[in-house]
PDB file of all heavy atoms in Angstrom:
ATOM      1  N   ILE T 835       0.854  -1.206   0.012  1.00  0.00           N
ATOM      2  CA  ILE T 835       0.011  -0.017   0.003  1.00  0.00           C
ATOM      3  C   ILE T 835       0.869   1.238   0.004  1.00  0.00           C
ATOM      4  O   ILE T 835       0.675   2.203  -0.753  1.00  0.00           O
ATOM      5  CB  ILE T 835      -0.929  -0.002   1.206  1.00  0.00           C
ATOM      6  CG1 ILE T 835      -2.006  -1.117   1.010  1.00  0.00           C
ATOM      7  CG2 ILE T 835      -1.628   1.343   1.375  1.00  0.00           C
ATOM      8  CD1 ILE T 835      -2.744  -1.468   2.307  1.00  0.00           C
ATOM      9  N   ARG T 836       1.927   1.245   0.802  1.00  0.00           N
ATOM     10  CA  ARG T 836       2.807   2.414   0.908  1.00  0.00           C
ATOM     11  C   ARG T 836       3.565   2.661  -0.408  1.00  0.00           C
ATOM     12  O   ARG T 836       3.769   3.771  -0.862  1.00  0.00           O
ATOM     13  CB  ARG T 836       3.856   2.196   2.015  1.00  0.00           C
ATOM     14  CG  ARG T 836       4.613   3.458   2.401  1.00  0.00           C
ATOM     15  CD  ARG T 836       5.367   3.326   3.655  1.00  0.00           C
ATOM     16  NE  ARG T 836       6.354   2.268   3.628  1.00  0.00           N
ATOM     17  CZ  ARG T 836       6.416   1.284   4.424  1.00  0.00           C
ATOM     18  NH1 ARG T 836       5.530   1.157   5.406  1.00  0.00           N
ATOM     19  NH2 ARG T 836       7.330   0.253   4.341  1.00  0.00           N
ATOM     20  N   ARG T 837       3.917   1.557  -1.154  1.00  0.00           N
ATOM     21  CA  ARG T 837       4.630   1.699  -2.427  1.00  0.00           C
ATOM     22  C   ARG T 837       3.811   2.372  -3.474  1.00  0.00           C
ATOM     23  O   ARG T 837       4.308   3.004  -4.371  1.00  0.00           O
ATOM     24  CB  ARG T 837       5.092   0.317  -2.910  1.00  0.00           C
ATOM     25  CG  ARG T 837       6.311  -0.145  -2.215  1.00  0.00           C
ATOM     26  CD  ARG T 837       6.823  -1.404  -2.872  1.00  0.00           C
ATOM     27  NE  ARG T 837       7.912  -1.944  -2.116  1.00  0.00           N
ATOM     28  CZ  ARG T 837       8.092  -3.205  -1.938  1.00  0.00           C
ATOM     29  NH1 ARG T 837       7.288  -4.070  -2.422  1.00  0.00           N
ATOM     30  NH2 ARG T 837       9.101  -3.589  -1.176  1.00  0.00           N
ATOM     31  N   ARG T 838       2.486   2.155  -3.491  1.00  0.00           N
ATOM     32  CA  ARG T 838       1.675   2.693  -4.559  1.00  0.00           C
ATOM     33  C   ARG T 838       0.894   3.910  -4.145  1.00  0.00           C
ATOM     34  O   ARG T 838      -0.100   4.224  -4.759  1.00  0.00           O
ATOM     35  CB  ARG T 838       0.759   1.594  -5.080  1.00  0.00           C
ATOM     36  CG  ARG T 838      -0.206   0.991  -4.145  1.00  0.00           C
ATOM     37  CD  ARG T 838      -1.008  -0.097  -4.796  1.00  0.00           C
ATOM     38  NE  ARG T 838      -1.632  -0.912  -3.824  1.00  0.00           N
ATOM     39  CZ  ARG T 838      -2.865  -0.743  -3.406  1.00  0.00           C
ATOM     40  NH1 ARG T 838      -3.651   0.189  -3.892  1.00  0.00           N
ATOM     41  NH2 ARG T 838      -3.365  -1.534  -2.476  1.00  0.00           N
ATOM     42  N   LYS T 839       1.366   4.608  -3.154  1.00  0.00           N
ATOM     43  CA  LYS T 839       0.644   5.778  -2.597  1.00  0.00           C
ATOM     44  C   LYS T 839       0.484   6.943  -3.586  1.00  0.00           C
ATOM     45  O   LYS T 839      -0.527   7.706  -3.504  1.00  0.00           O
ATOM     46  CB  LYS T 839       1.298   6.265  -1.326  1.00  0.00           C
ATOM     47  CG  LYS T 839       2.627   6.908  -1.560  1.00  0.00           C
ATOM     48  CD  LYS T 839       3.200   7.375  -0.243  1.00  0.00           C
ATOM     49  CE  LYS T 839       4.606   7.946  -0.481  1.00  0.00           C
ATOM     50  NZ  LYS T 839       5.270   8.231   0.712  1.00  0.00           N
ATOM     51  N   HIS T 840       1.388   7.106  -4.529  1.00  0.00           N
ATOM     52  CA  HIS T 840       1.285   8.192  -5.445  1.00  0.00           C
ATOM     53  C   HIS T 840       0.170   7.974  -6.523  1.00  0.00           C
ATOM     54  O   HIS T 840      -0.363   8.971  -6.988  1.00  0.00           O
ATOM     55  CB  HIS T 840       2.607   8.508  -6.139  1.00  0.00           C
ATOM     56  CG  HIS T 840       3.185   7.362  -6.787  1.00  0.00           C
ATOM     57  ND1 HIS T 840       2.754   6.851  -7.987  1.00  0.00           N
ATOM     58  CD2 HIS T 840       4.251   6.512  -6.455  1.00  0.00           C
ATOM     59  CE1 HIS T 840       3.491   5.816  -8.335  1.00  0.00           C
ATOM     60  NE2 HIS T 840       4.379   5.586  -7.414  1.00  0.00           N
ATOM     61  N   GLY T 841      -0.119   6.745  -6.900  1.00  0.00           N
ATOM     62  CA  GLY T 841      -1.215   6.488  -7.839  1.00  0.00           C
ATOM     63  C   GLY T 841      -0.881   6.895  -9.233  1.00  0.00           C
ATOM     64  O   GLY T 841      -1.776   6.977 -10.101  1.00  0.00           O
ATOM     65  N   ASP T 842       0.380   7.196  -9.575  1.00  0.00           N
ATOM     66  CA  ASP T 842       0.759   7.646 -10.891  1.00  0.00           C
ATOM     67  C   ASP T 842       1.340   6.575 -11.806  1.00  0.00           C
ATOM     68  O   ASP T 842       1.791   6.895 -12.895  1.00  0.00           O
ATOM     69  CB  ASP T 842       1.820   8.764 -10.803  1.00  0.00           C
ATOM     70  CG  ASP T 842       1.273  10.062 -10.288  1.00  0.00           C
ATOM     71  OD1 ASP T 842       0.052  10.166 -10.064  1.00  0.00           O
ATOM     72  OD2 ASP T 842       2.039  10.970 -10.077  1.00  0.00           O
ATOM     73  N   ALA T 843       1.234   5.300 -11.429  1.00  0.00           N
ATOM     74  CA  ALA T 843       1.951   4.264 -12.148  1.00  0.00           C
ATOM     75  C   ALA T 843       1.636   4.289 -13.636  1.00  0.00           C
ATOM     76  O   ALA T 843       2.509   3.866 -14.392  1.00  0.00           O
ATOM     77  CB  ALA T 843       1.602   2.895 -11.585  1.00  0.00           C
ATOM     78  N   GLY T 844       0.475   4.700 -14.094  1.00  0.00           N
ATOM     79  CA  GLY T 844       0.187   4.682 -15.518  1.00  0.00           C
ATOM     80  C   GLY T 844       0.420   5.961 -16.244  1.00  0.00           C
ATOM     81  O   GLY T 844       0.245   6.089 -17.402  1.00  0.00           O
ATOM     82  N   SER T 845       0.935   6.956 -15.480  1.00  0.00           N
ATOM     83  CA  SER T 845       1.103   8.298 -16.092  1.00  0.00           C
ATOM     84  C   SER T 845       2.370   8.353 -16.966  1.00  0.00           C
ATOM     85  O   SER T 845       3.274   7.609 -16.793  1.00  0.00           O
ATOM     86  CB  SER T 845       1.133   9.375 -15.036  1.00  0.00           C
ATOM     87  OG  SER T 845       2.391   9.310 -14.355  1.00  0.00           O
ATOM     88  N   LYS T 846       2.374   9.353 -17.853  1.00  0.00           N
ATOM     89  CA  LYS T 846       3.547   9.564 -18.705  1.00  0.00           C
ATOM     90  C   LYS T 846       4.796   9.925 -17.888  1.00  0.00           C
ATOM     91  O   LYS T 846       5.906   9.473 -18.132  1.00  0.00           O
ATOM     92  CB  LYS T 846       3.274  10.562 -19.752  1.00  0.00           C
ATOM     93  CG  LYS T 846       2.239  10.118 -20.801  1.00  0.00           C
ATOM     94  CD  LYS T 846       2.281  10.981 -21.978  1.00  0.00           C
ATOM     95  CE  LYS T 846       1.111  10.506 -22.880  1.00  0.00           C
ATOM     96  NZ  LYS T 846       1.530   9.955 -24.149  1.00  0.00           N
ATOM     97  N   LEU T 847       4.603  10.771 -16.872  1.00  0.00           N
ATOM     98  CA  LEU T 847       5.736  11.194 -16.027  1.00  0.00           C
ATOM     99  C   LEU T 847       6.304  10.013 -15.257  1.00  0.00           C
ATOM    100  O   LEU T 847       7.530   9.817 -15.186  1.00  0.00           O
ATOM    101  CB  LEU T 847       5.279  12.292 -15.040  1.00  0.00           C
ATOM    102  CG  LEU T 847       6.405  12.876 -14.192  1.00  0.00           C
ATOM    103  CD1 LEU T 847       7.548  13.490 -15.088  1.00  0.00           C
ATOM    104  CD2 LEU T 847       5.870  13.929 -13.274  1.00  0.00           C
ATOM    105  N   TYR T 848       5.450   9.111 -14.786  1.00  0.00           N
ATOM    106  CA  TYR T 848       5.965   7.911 -14.118  1.00  0.00           C
ATOM    107  C   TYR T 848       6.719   7.042 -15.089  1.00  0.00           C
ATOM    108  O   TYR T 848       7.825   6.524 -14.713  1.00  0.00           O
ATOM    109  CB  TYR T 848       4.813   7.122 -13.506  1.00  0.00           C
ATOM    110  CG  TYR T 848       5.265   5.935 -12.707  1.00  0.00           C
ATOM    111  CD1 TYR T 848       5.553   6.072 -11.327  1.00  0.00           C
ATOM    112  CD2 TYR T 848       5.429   4.684 -13.249  1.00  0.00           C
ATOM    113  CE1 TYR T 848       6.035   5.034 -10.565  1.00  0.00           C
ATOM    114  CE2 TYR T 848       5.898   3.618 -12.491  1.00  0.00           C
ATOM    115  CZ  TYR T 848       6.176   3.809 -11.189  1.00  0.00           C
ATOM    116  OH  TYR T 848       6.629   2.720 -10.440  1.00  0.00           O
ATOM    117  N   GLN T 849       6.299   6.938 -16.315  1.00  0.00           N
ATOM    118  CA  GLN T 849       7.052   6.163 -17.321  1.00  0.00           C
ATOM    119  C   GLN T 849       8.394   6.822 -17.646  1.00  0.00           C
ATOM    120  O   GLN T 849       9.406   6.080 -17.843  1.00  0.00           O
ATOM    121  CB  GLN T 849       6.234   6.042 -18.596  1.00  0.00           C
ATOM    122  CG  GLN T 849       5.038   5.114 -18.477  1.00  0.00           C
ATOM    123  CD  GLN T 849       5.435   3.734 -18.001  1.00  0.00           C
ATOM    124  OE1 GLN T 849       6.352   3.142 -18.525  1.00  0.00           O
ATOM    125  NE2 GLN T 849       4.771   3.262 -16.955  1.00  0.00           N
ATOM    126  N   VAL T 850       8.466   8.162 -17.610  1.00  0.00           N
ATOM    127  CA  VAL T 850       9.764   8.828 -17.864  1.00  0.00           C
ATOM    128  C   VAL T 850      10.692   8.374 -16.724  1.00  0.00           C
ATOM    129  O   VAL T 850      11.905   8.057 -16.947  1.00  0.00           O
ATOM    130  CB  VAL T 850       9.576  10.332 -17.856  1.00  0.00           C
ATOM    131  CG1 VAL T 850      10.884  11.066 -17.757  1.00  0.00           C
ATOM    132  CG2 VAL T 850       8.829  10.816 -19.108  1.00  0.00           C
ATOM    133  N   TRP T 851      10.231   8.427 -15.507  1.00  0.00           N
ATOM    134  CA  TRP T 851      11.058   8.080 -14.327  1.00  0.00           C
ATOM    135  C   TRP T 851      11.471   6.595 -14.385  1.00  0.00           C
ATOM    136  O   TRP T 851      12.624   6.299 -14.227  1.00  0.00           O
ATOM    137  CB  TRP T 851      10.243   8.378 -13.039  1.00  0.00           C
ATOM    138  CG  TRP T 851      10.899   7.997 -11.750  1.00  0.00           C
ATOM    139  CD1 TRP T 851      11.956   8.639 -11.202  1.00  0.00           C
ATOM    140  CD2 TRP T 851      10.574   6.901 -10.876  1.00  0.00           C
ATOM    141  NE1 TRP T 851      12.321   8.047  -9.968  1.00  0.00           N
ATOM    142  CE2 TRP T 851      11.430   6.974  -9.786  1.00  0.00           C
ATOM    143  CE3 TRP T 851       9.574   5.916 -10.931  1.00  0.00           C
ATOM    144  CZ2 TRP T 851      11.363   6.079  -8.785  1.00  0.00           C
ATOM    145  CZ3 TRP T 851       9.517   5.058  -9.878  1.00  0.00           C
ATOM    146  CH2 TRP T 851      10.391   5.074  -8.789  1.00  0.00           C
ATOM    147  N   ALA T 852      10.594   5.749 -14.673  1.00  0.00           N
ATOM    148  CA  ALA T 852      10.839   4.298 -14.740  1.00  0.00           C
ATOM    149  C   ALA T 852      11.826   3.978 -15.870  1.00  0.00           C
ATOM    150  O   ALA T 852      12.815   3.232 -15.698  1.00  0.00           O
ATOM    151  CB  ALA T 852       9.530   3.455 -14.879  1.00  0.00           C
ATOM    152  N   ASN T 853      11.636   4.579 -17.021  1.00  0.00           N
ATOM    153  CA  ASN T 853      12.486   4.354 -18.223  1.00  0.00           C
ATOM    154  C   ASN T 853      13.915   4.925 -17.958  1.00  0.00           C
ATOM    155  O   ASN T 853      14.913   4.287 -18.335  1.00  0.00           O
ATOM    156  CB  ASN T 853      11.941   4.951 -19.445  1.00  0.00           C
ATOM    157  CG  ASN T 853      10.743   4.182 -19.930  1.00  0.00           C
ATOM    158  OD1 ASN T 853      10.432   3.087 -19.550  1.00  0.00           O
ATOM    159  ND2 ASN T 853       9.837   4.873 -20.664  1.00  0.00           N
ATOM    160  N   MET T 854      14.022   6.035 -17.259  1.00  0.00           N
ATOM    161  CA  MET T 854      15.319   6.637 -16.937  1.00  0.00           C
ATOM    162  C   MET T 854      16.118   5.634 -16.055  1.00  0.00           C
ATOM    163  O   MET T 854      17.250   5.439 -16.274  1.00  0.00           O
ATOM    164  CB  MET T 854      15.032   7.959 -16.224  1.00  0.00           C
ATOM    165  CG  MET T 854      16.260   8.576 -15.579  1.00  0.00           C
ATOM    166  SD  MET T 854      15.872  10.127 -14.654  1.00  0.00           S
ATOM    167  CE  MET T 854      14.806   9.503 -13.359  1.00  0.00           C
ATOM    168  N   LYS T 855      15.457   5.093 -15.067  1.00  0.00           N
ATOM    169  CA  LYS T 855      16.100   4.132 -14.178  1.00  0.00           C
ATOM    170  C   LYS T 855      16.482   2.901 -14.934  1.00  0.00           C
ATOM    171  O   LYS T 855      17.628   2.327 -14.775  1.00  0.00           O
ATOM    172  CB  LYS T 855      15.193   3.784 -12.996  1.00  0.00           C
ATOM    173  CG  LYS T 855      14.981   4.949 -12.056  1.00  0.00           C
ATOM    174  CD  LYS T 855      14.312   4.589 -10.720  1.00  0.00           C
ATOM    175  CE  LYS T 855      13.329   3.485 -10.770  1.00  0.00           C
ATOM    176  NZ  LYS T 855      12.855   3.101  -9.497  1.00  0.00           N
ATOM    177  N   GLN T 856      15.589   2.384 -15.782  1.00  0.00           N
ATOM    178  CA  GLN T 856      15.897   1.182 -16.587  1.00  0.00           C
ATOM    179  C   GLN T 856      17.198   1.391 -17.476  1.00  0.00           C
ATOM    180  O   GLN T 856      18.028   0.534 -17.515  1.00  0.00           O
ATOM    181  CB  GLN T 856      14.726   0.839 -17.474  1.00  0.00           C
ATOM    182  CG  GLN T 856      13.594   0.099 -16.730  1.00  0.00           C
ATOM    183  CD  GLN T 856      14.036  -1.282 -16.290  1.00  0.00           C
ATOM    184  OE1 GLN T 856      14.529  -2.054 -17.109  1.00  0.00           O
ATOM    185  NE2 GLN T 856      13.749  -1.559 -15.016  1.00  0.00           N
ATOM    186  N   ARG T 857      17.243   2.509 -18.199  1.00  0.00           N
ATOM    187  CA  ARG T 857      18.393   2.788 -19.075  1.00  0.00           C
ATOM    188  C   ARG T 857      19.666   2.834 -18.299  1.00  0.00           C
ATOM    189  O   ARG T 857      20.705   2.400 -18.807  1.00  0.00           O
ATOM    190  CB  ARG T 857      18.200   4.139 -19.797  1.00  0.00           C
ATOM    191  CG  ARG T 857      17.114   4.130 -20.821  1.00  0.00           C
ATOM    192  CD  ARG T 857      17.161   5.454 -21.669  1.00  0.00           C
ATOM    193  NE  ARG T 857      17.033   6.618 -20.859  1.00  0.00           N
ATOM    194  CZ  ARG T 857      15.880   7.251 -20.623  1.00  0.00           C
ATOM    195  NH1 ARG T 857      14.753   6.786 -21.134  1.00  0.00           N
ATOM    196  NH2 ARG T 857      15.825   8.388 -19.930  1.00  0.00           N
ATOM    197  N   CYS T 858      19.619   3.296 -17.052  1.00  0.00           N
ATOM    198  CA  CYS T 858      20.838   3.506 -16.290  1.00  0.00           C
ATOM    199  C   CYS T 858      21.236   2.260 -15.449  1.00  0.00           C
ATOM    200  O   CYS T 858      22.391   2.114 -15.136  1.00  0.00           O
ATOM    201  CB  CYS T 858      20.698   4.700 -15.388  1.00  0.00           C
ATOM    202  SG  CYS T 858      20.601   6.266 -16.300  1.00  0.00           S
ATOM    203  N   LEU T 859      20.229   1.456 -15.015  1.00  0.00           N
ATOM    204  CA  LEU T 859      20.548   0.431 -14.046  1.00  0.00           C
ATOM    205  C   LEU T 859      20.379  -0.972 -14.508  1.00  0.00           C
ATOM    206  O   LEU T 859      20.960  -1.871 -13.912  1.00  0.00           O
ATOM    207  CB  LEU T 859      19.647   0.682 -12.819  1.00  0.00           C
ATOM    208  CG  LEU T 859      19.730   2.076 -12.198  1.00  0.00           C
ATOM    209  CD1 LEU T 859      18.681   2.171 -11.132  1.00  0.00           C
ATOM    210  CD2 LEU T 859      21.121   2.232 -11.609  1.00  0.00           C
ATOM    211  N   ASN T 860      19.592  -1.190 -15.529  1.00  0.00           N
ATOM    212  CA  ASN T 860      19.266  -2.536 -15.945  1.00  0.00           C
ATOM    213  C   ASN T 860      20.140  -2.964 -17.132  1.00  0.00           C
ATOM    214  O   ASN T 860      19.912  -2.582 -18.296  1.00  0.00           O
ATOM    215  CB  ASN T 860      17.803  -2.682 -16.341  1.00  0.00           C
ATOM    216  CG  ASN T 860      17.354  -4.061 -16.713  1.00  0.00           C
ATOM    217  OD1 ASN T 860      18.218  -4.986 -16.788  1.00  0.00           O
ATOM    218  ND2 ASN T 860      16.108  -4.283 -16.943  1.00  0.00           N
ATOM    219  N   SER T 861      21.163  -3.799 -16.917  1.00  0.00           N
ATOM    220  CA  SER T 861      22.106  -4.147 -17.996  1.00  0.00           C
ATOM    221  C   SER T 861      21.390  -4.970 -19.113  1.00  0.00           C
ATOM    222  O   SER T 861      21.953  -5.070 -20.149  1.00  0.00           O
ATOM    223  CB  SER T 861      23.253  -4.966 -17.363  1.00  0.00           C
ATOM    224  OG  SER T 861      22.778  -6.077 -16.749  1.00  0.00           O
ATOM    225  N   ARG T 862      20.228  -5.481 -18.848  1.00  0.00           N
ATOM    226  CA  ARG T 862      19.485  -6.195 -19.858  1.00  0.00           C
ATOM    227  C   ARG T 862      18.597  -5.274 -20.727  1.00  0.00           C
ATOM    228  O   ARG T 862      18.094  -5.685 -21.747  1.00  0.00           O
ATOM    229  CB  ARG T 862      18.599  -7.286 -19.250  1.00  0.00           C
ATOM    230  CG  ARG T 862      19.408  -8.392 -18.638  1.00  0.00           C
ATOM    231  CD  ARG T 862      18.532  -9.482 -18.116  1.00  0.00           C
ATOM    232  NE  ARG T 862      17.530  -8.986 -17.251  1.00  0.00           N
ATOM    233  CZ  ARG T 862      17.240  -9.456 -16.036  1.00  0.00           C
ATOM    234  NH1 ARG T 862      17.902 -10.474 -15.580  1.00  0.00           N
ATOM    235  NH2 ARG T 862      16.303  -8.885 -15.273  1.00  0.00           N
ATOM    236  N   ASN T 863      18.523  -4.021 -20.393  1.00  0.00           N
ATOM    237  CA  ASN T 863      17.802  -3.004 -21.182  1.00  0.00           C
ATOM    238  C   ASN T 863      18.540  -2.790 -22.440  1.00  0.00           C
ATOM    239  O   ASN T 863      19.798  -2.593 -22.444  1.00  0.00           O
ATOM    240  CB  ASN T 863      17.605  -1.718 -20.399  1.00  0.00           C
ATOM    241  CG  ASN T 863      16.733  -0.731 -21.071  1.00  0.00           C
ATOM    242  OD1 ASN T 863      17.138  -0.131 -22.119  1.00  0.00           O
ATOM    243  ND2 ASN T 863      15.563  -0.443 -20.570  1.00  0.00           N
ATOM    244  N   LYS T 864      17.829  -2.801 -23.629  1.00  0.00           N
ATOM    245  CA  LYS T 864      18.472  -2.648 -24.909  1.00  0.00           C
ATOM    246  C   LYS T 864      19.224  -1.302 -25.077  1.00  0.00           C
ATOM    247  O   LYS T 864      20.136  -1.193 -25.927  1.00  0.00           O
ATOM    248  CB  LYS T 864      17.500  -2.869 -26.082  1.00  0.00           C
ATOM    249  CG  LYS T 864      16.415  -1.804 -26.156  1.00  0.00           C
ATOM    250  CD  LYS T 864      15.487  -2.154 -27.310  1.00  0.00           C
ATOM    251  CE  LYS T 864      14.426  -1.069 -27.403  1.00  0.00           C
ATOM    252  NZ  LYS T 864      13.496  -1.329 -28.470  1.00  0.00           N
ATOM    253  N   ARG T 865      18.872  -0.268 -24.272  1.00  0.00           N
ATOM    254  CA  ARG T 865      19.519   1.030 -24.366  1.00  0.00           C
ATOM    255  C   ARG T 865      20.544   1.275 -23.224  1.00  0.00           C
ATOM    256  O   ARG T 865      21.105   2.299 -23.144  1.00  0.00           O
ATOM    257  CB  ARG T 865      18.445   2.083 -24.366  1.00  0.00           C
ATOM    258  CG  ARG T 865      17.496   1.835 -25.520  1.00  0.00           C
ATOM    259  CD  ARG T 865      16.415   2.839 -25.676  1.00  0.00           C
ATOM    260  NE  ARG T 865      17.012   4.047 -26.208  1.00  0.00           N
ATOM    261  CZ  ARG T 865      16.398   5.246 -26.239  1.00  0.00           C
ATOM    262  NH1 ARG T 865      15.186   5.305 -25.766  1.00  0.00           N
ATOM    263  NH2 ARG T 865      16.977   6.280 -26.716  1.00  0.00           N
ATOM    264  N   TYR T 866      20.764   0.244 -22.406  1.00  0.00           N
ATOM    265  CA  TYR T 866      21.728   0.387 -21.232  1.00  0.00           C
ATOM    266  C   TYR T 866      23.092   0.814 -21.713  1.00  0.00           C
ATOM    267  O   TYR T 866      23.732   1.616 -21.079  1.00  0.00           O
ATOM    268  CB  TYR T 866      21.778  -0.979 -20.578  1.00  0.00           C
ATOM    269  CG  TYR T 866      22.836  -0.943 -19.411  1.00  0.00           C
ATOM    270  CD1 TYR T 866      22.512  -0.408 -18.197  1.00  0.00           C
ATOM    271  CD2 TYR T 866      24.122  -1.505 -19.622  1.00  0.00           C
ATOM    272  CE1 TYR T 866      23.427  -0.444 -17.133  1.00  0.00           C
ATOM    273  CE2 TYR T 866      24.985  -1.531 -18.602  1.00  0.00           C
ATOM    274  CZ  TYR T 866      24.662  -0.996 -17.387  1.00  0.00           C
ATOM    275  OH  TYR T 866      25.614  -0.992 -16.351  1.00  0.00           O
ATOM    276  N   LYS T 867      23.574   0.298 -22.826  1.00  0.00           N
ATOM    277  CA  LYS T 867      24.935   0.598 -23.283  1.00  0.00           C
ATOM    278  C   LYS T 867      25.173   2.083 -23.515  1.00  0.00           C
ATOM    279  O   LYS T 867      26.260   2.576 -23.303  1.00  0.00           O
ATOM    280  CB  LYS T 867      25.266  -0.163 -24.590  1.00  0.00           C
ATOM    281  CG  LYS T 867      24.469   0.187 -25.790  1.00  0.00           C
ATOM    282  CD  LYS T 867      24.937  -0.605 -26.986  1.00  0.00           C
ATOM    283  CE  LYS T 867      24.115  -0.400 -28.222  1.00  0.00           C
ATOM    284  NZ  LYS T 867      23.501   0.854 -28.516  1.00  0.00           N
ATOM    285  N   ASP T 868      24.169   2.790 -23.883  1.00  0.00           N
ATOM    286  CA  ASP T 868      24.252   4.229 -24.087  1.00  0.00           C
ATOM    287  C   ASP T 868      24.089   5.087 -22.831  1.00  0.00           C
ATOM    288  O   ASP T 868      24.358   6.284 -22.857  1.00  0.00           O
ATOM    289  CB  ASP T 868      23.287   4.705 -25.114  1.00  0.00           C
ATOM    290  CG  ASP T 868      23.537   4.067 -26.480  1.00  0.00           C
ATOM    291  OD1 ASP T 868      24.675   3.965 -26.876  1.00  0.00           O
ATOM    292  OD2 ASP T 868      22.537   3.662 -27.151  1.00  0.00           O
ATOM    293  N   TRP T 869      23.689   4.465 -21.738  1.00  0.00           N
ATOM    294  CA  TRP T 869      23.486   5.228 -20.502  1.00  0.00           C
ATOM    295  C   TRP T 869      24.303   4.521 -19.371  1.00  0.00           C
ATOM    296  O   TRP T 869      25.435   4.965 -19.089  1.00  0.00           O
ATOM    297  CB  TRP T 869      22.022   5.322 -20.103  1.00  0.00           C
ATOM    298  CG  TRP T 869      21.337   6.433 -20.853  1.00  0.00           C
ATOM    299  CD1 TRP T 869      21.195   7.712 -20.427  1.00  0.00           C
ATOM    300  CD2 TRP T 869      20.669   6.331 -22.104  1.00  0.00           C
ATOM    301  NE1 TRP T 869      20.505   8.434 -21.387  1.00  0.00           N
ATOM    302  CE2 TRP T 869      20.133   7.664 -22.467  1.00  0.00           C
ATOM    303  CE3 TRP T 869      20.454   5.343 -23.054  1.00  0.00           C
ATOM    304  CZ2 TRP T 869      19.472   7.927 -23.595  1.00  0.00           C
ATOM    305  CZ3 TRP T 869      19.754   5.623 -24.194  1.00  0.00           C
ATOM    306  CH2 TRP T 869      19.299   6.906 -24.462  1.00  0.00           C
ATOM    307  N   GLY T 870      23.727   3.603 -18.727  1.00  0.00           N
ATOM    308  CA  GLY T 870      24.405   2.895 -17.666  1.00  0.00           C
ATOM    309  C   GLY T 870      25.752   2.326 -17.988  1.00  0.00           C
ATOM    310  O   GLY T 870      26.701   2.337 -17.281  1.00  0.00           O
TER     311      GLY T 870
END
């Protein structure tokens, strides 16, 4: 319940945040080589 308190999971801004983290932290992300 505490994790989903913002309720923005489907918003474009939330996707920007999630994608930013994926590019930088997830070595399996196809765009990781250009960021992380």
Side-chain angles (χ1 to χ4, degrees):
I835 291 165
R836 193 169 59 238
R837 280 189 188 140
R838 60 183 163 96
K839 68 181 176 189
H840 54 73
D842 286 356
S845 72
K846 292 194 186 247
L847 184 58
Y848 186 86
Q849 288 305 309
V850 168
W851 178 72
N853 291 338
M854 170 183 65
K855 293 191 327 174
Q856 282 291 312
R857 289 189 303 266
C858 293
L859 304 172
N860 183 356
S861 60
R862 292 184 307 229
N863 184 291
K864 66 182 180 179
R865 303 183 73 192
Y866 175 82
K867 66 178 173 34
D868 296 319
W869 279 271

